Amino acid sequence: MNTNIFFRAVCNRLLICAVSTILLQSCGFHLRGEIELPPEIHQLAIDDVTTTSQIGPVLRIQLRRLDIKVLENVDDAKLVIQIDKEAFQGRVMTVSPEGQVQEFELSYTVFYAIQNKDNQSASISNQSLTVRRGLRFDETAVLGKTSEETQLQKDMVDAAAEQILRRLRGVAIGRTAGSS
């Protein structure tokens, strides 16, 4: 009798997973894959105004993964990603009745521009991008929460870099449309 109940529970879970997968596929959902940049972008430069830029190295790694050469000299590039400023901030979201922080929000803001030297109208100037994440705070696990916050900050920088590359794709498409 127990095995029959167990078998039904397993079958129900498999059925729910299968139905969920079919519904997600039918609505057009798909996981975000790697960013595809047009083949015209085979090289560009990143201009980090600050020497402590966290997003600059991440952008370089992501671009090299896409087989795009990152030039060191900004003057040699037709496309330039300029990182003006970036900052992490935290703010308290929830406080316990005793006045202790229970949850706070981390935000990472980067100010950037994308210069297209071939087609200035396709350039993007003075943009800001903010990525936010929530973090529950537990004073009994401060060390664990500190490492969780560090990992969360890294993930936020990665997410911001991906969003900048998606914007770069739009600039590149404008460049190819403008140069035709």
Side-chain angles (χ1 to χ4, degrees):
M1 193 88 144
N2 259 347
T3 57
N4 193 17
I5 294 172
F6 176 74
F7 181 71
R8 279 188 176 179
V10 169
C11 287
N12 284 341
R13 288 183 183 154
L14 286 174
L15 182 63
I16 290 170
C17 287
V19 169
S20 298
T21 303
I22 291 169
L23 288 174
L24 285 174
Q25 287 290 335
S26 66
C27 75
F29 174 82
H30 61 280
L31 293 174
R32 188 181 305 157
E34 227 175 69
I35 298 166
E36 294 181 22
L37 294 176
E40 295 82 21
I41 300 179
H42 54 277
Q43 64 182 17
L44 58 82
I46 298 174
D47 185 11
D48 301 41
V49 176
T50 64
T51 57
T52 59
S53 172
Q54 292 188 24
I55 198 165
V58 172
L59 281 168
R60 284 180 179 85
I61 290 168
Q62 289 184 2
L63 287 166
R64 287 186 181 121
R65 249 186 235 148
L66 296 171
D67 293 326
I68 296 173
K69 183 178 181 183
V70 180
L71 302 173
E72 294 302 320
N73 189 354
V74 176
D75 297 330
D76 295 339
K78 293 181 180 179
L79 278 173
V80 178
I81 300 174
Q82 181 179 344
I83 306 300
D84 295 322
K85 186 171 87 171
E86 59 187 320
F88 282 101
Q89 293 181 329
R91 81 179 170 140
V92 175
M93 298 296 291
T94 310
V95 179
S96 71
E98 294 82 29
Q100 296 173 340
V101 175
Q102 290 181 323
E103 184 178 14
F104 63 97
E105 179 185 68
L106 292 174
S107 64
Y108 172 69
T109 303
V110 60
F111 295 89
Y112 70 97
I114 300 176
Q115 300 169 352
N116 185 335
K117 294 180 182 176
D118 285 348
N119 183 1
Q120 287 297 327
S121 65
S123 294
I124 299 174
S125 59
N126 303 327
Q127 290 290 307
S128 69
L129 174 74
T130 302
V131 179
R132 291 185 175 86
R133 300 286 187 270
L135 180 65
R136 296 201 45 82
F137 185 76
D138 182 5
E139 67 182 37
T140 61
V142 174
L143 188 58
K145 287 299 178 179
T146 302
S147 64
E148 182 181 350
E149 181 179 353
T150 303
Q151 183 60 43
L152 201 55
Q153 288 177 343
K154 182 186 174 310
D155 293 343
M156 292 166 70
V157 171
D158 290 345
E162 287 177 10
Q163 290 183 36
I164 289 174
L165 289 180
R166 280 196 275 298
R167 294 297 305 267
L168 174 65
R169 183 176 187 271
V171 169
I173 290 171
R175 180 178 124 194
T176 57
S179 62
S180 298

